[in-house]
Each structure stands twice: as C-alpha cells, then as structure tokens.
Amino acid sequence: AGTYPPPYPNGWYVVCESHELARGDVELVEMLGHAVAVFRNEHDDGVAAVGAYCAHLGANLAGGEVLGEEQLSVSRFGRSV
C-alpha cells in the first residue's frame, strides 16, 4: 500500500506562463523532480508537454524542433515523438 498523503498533491501545476512560449518554441522545464519538454506548435498555438528524454537514445527532446501539431524532432537522431 502507498503512503498518504502522496509526495505531491494530486492536481494541476503551472509549468510555464503562456506568454513565455512562442510558436515553434521548445523549453526544458524541471518540475516535481521530473524534466519535461514543453512546446507550442506552429499551426494553432496548441501547447503540449512530454518527458524530456527520448526513451530510445536518451536525447534531450527540448533540443529538438516542433513538427506539425504535436511532434518534436531531434534531427541529429532522425527520430520524432
């Protein structure tokens, strides 16, 4: 059985302010003990967040570029997520 209360309260957390993320930007954010790549697409200003490190090669996705609406590409590895 787990511990109560959990180490982090359940709920929503501010990762960054909307004005801090321009179209096509990717930012590395450290929060609650995790690294997260936050990005805004170039199509409709949608925002997404993924774990910062590629499970395949460990590349930092925050160093990548935005493709389409919800993809990041790390060009040196030729991979996208």
Side-chain angles (χ1 to χ4, degrees):
T3 61
Y4 186 83
Y8 301 111
N10 294 329
W12 293 91
Y13 297 91
V14 175
V15 176
C16 67
E17 297 288 332
S18 182
H19 65 84
E20 297 173 334
L21 202 60
R23 281 186 173 188
D25 276 359
V26 185
E27 296 289 334
L28 176 65
V29 177
E30 300 271 343
M31 63 173 291
L32 302 175
H34 297 279
V36 180
V38 181
F39 61 99
R40 183 182 299 274
N41 72 42
E42 295 180 339
H43 177 68
D44 65 1
D45 284 337
V47 176
V50 296
Y53 299 102
C54 167
H56 179 247
L57 293 173
N60 184 341
L61 298 174
E65 62 182 297
V66 178
L67 295 179
E69 291 183 36
E70 294 188 5
Q71 278 192 335
L72 286 177
S73 174
V74 181
S75 60
R76 66 180 165 228
F77 295 114
R79 314 261 313 162
S80 61
V81 295

